[in-house]
Amino acid sequence: MIDEIASEFTTEELQEFLEADLYPIEADPEFKEELRGKLWDLVQRQAAGRKNEDA
């Protein structure tokens, strides 16, 4: 699976993506909170789905 993902991107694209870590830019706190809420909702829905599968 890793090979499949790796073949989707060029070395240049990966390098450009990794270079973003070099810049100290803080995310907007409102964006972070919205994202946190969406991720928590996703985790809860997946956990509920697993409980239903086990029943």
Side-chain angles (χ1 to χ4, degrees):
M1 179 171 165
I2 292 175
D3 290 336
E4 293 172 9
I5 294 170
S7 67
E8 293 181 28
F9 304 100
T10 66
T11 303
E12 292 81 19
E13 289 172 320
L14 177 59
Q15 188 172 19
E16 182 180 335
F17 174 78
L18 294 174
E19 284 175 357
D21 288 340
L22 300 176
Y23 303 104
I25 298 172
E26 290 292 320
D28 176 24
E30 187 176 314
F31 169 79
K32 287 172 67 173
E33 183 60 26
E34 183 180 332
L35 181 60
R36 185 200 64 75
K38 288 179 180 180
L39 291 173
W40 182 241
D41 182 56
L42 177 64
V43 168
Q44 288 180 319
R45 284 187 284 143
Q46 286 183 341
R50 287 190 183 123
K51 286 181 185 177
N52 292 338
E53 289 175 5
D54 293 340

